[in-house]
C-alpha cells in the first residue's frame, strides 16, 4: 500500500511542480514522471539538510520540492543541449 501512496503523491507533485515552474515544465506525462523521481530526490535533499517531513502532507511537500529541483535541472540541461 505504501508503494501506491508513493506513486499517487509523486503524480500529484509532478502536476503541481509543472504548474509552478515557469513555462509549465515539459508536458503532463513527463511532469508526472518527474514528480515520482522528484519524490526520491526531495527525500534525499531534505535528508542532507536534516529536515524530516512526516505524513501525507510532509511527503507531498518533499516530493514537490524534489520535482521542482529536478525540473529546474532538466530545464538547464535541455537549454544547454539545444544551443
Amino acid at each position: 500500500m505504501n508503494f501506491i501512496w508513493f506513486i499517487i503523491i509523486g503524480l500529484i507533485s509532478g502536476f503541481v511542480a509543472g504548474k509552478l515552474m515557469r513555462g509549465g515544465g515539459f508536458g503532463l506525462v513527463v511532469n508526472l514522471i518527474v514528480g515520482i523521481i522528484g519524490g526520491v530526490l526531495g527525500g534525499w535533499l531534505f535528508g542532507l539538510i536534516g529536515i524530516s517531513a512526516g505524513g501525507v502532507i510532509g511527503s507531498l511537500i518533499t516530493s514537490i520540492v524534489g520535482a521542482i529541483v529536478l525540473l529546474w535541472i532538466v530545464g538547464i540541461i535541455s537549454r544547454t543541449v539545444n544551443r
Side-chain angles (χ1 to χ4, degrees):
M1 190 65 175
N2 287 337
F3 183 73
I4 294 171
W5 276 114
F6 179 75
I7 299 295
I8 291 170
I9 289 173
L11 293 174
I12 293 169
S13 66
F15 178 77
V16 171
K19 295 297 179 186
L20 292 176
M21 290 296 292
R22 185 174 54 172
F26 295 98
L28 181 62
V29 175
V30 175
N31 286 350
L32 297 178
I33 294 169
V34 165
I36 294 169
I37 297 169
V40 175
L41 178 64
W44 180 72
L45 289 172
F46 277 30
L48 281 178
I49 57 177
I51 297 175
S52 177
V56 175
I57 301 297
S59 296
L60 186 61
I61 291 170
T62 301
S63 187
I64 290 171
V65 169
I68 288 172
V69 168
L70 189 58
L71 281 174
W72 178 68
I73 291 170
V74 169
I76 289 174
I77 291 171
S78 70
R79 279 193 299 264
T80 58
V81 169
N82 290 334
R83 284 187 180 186

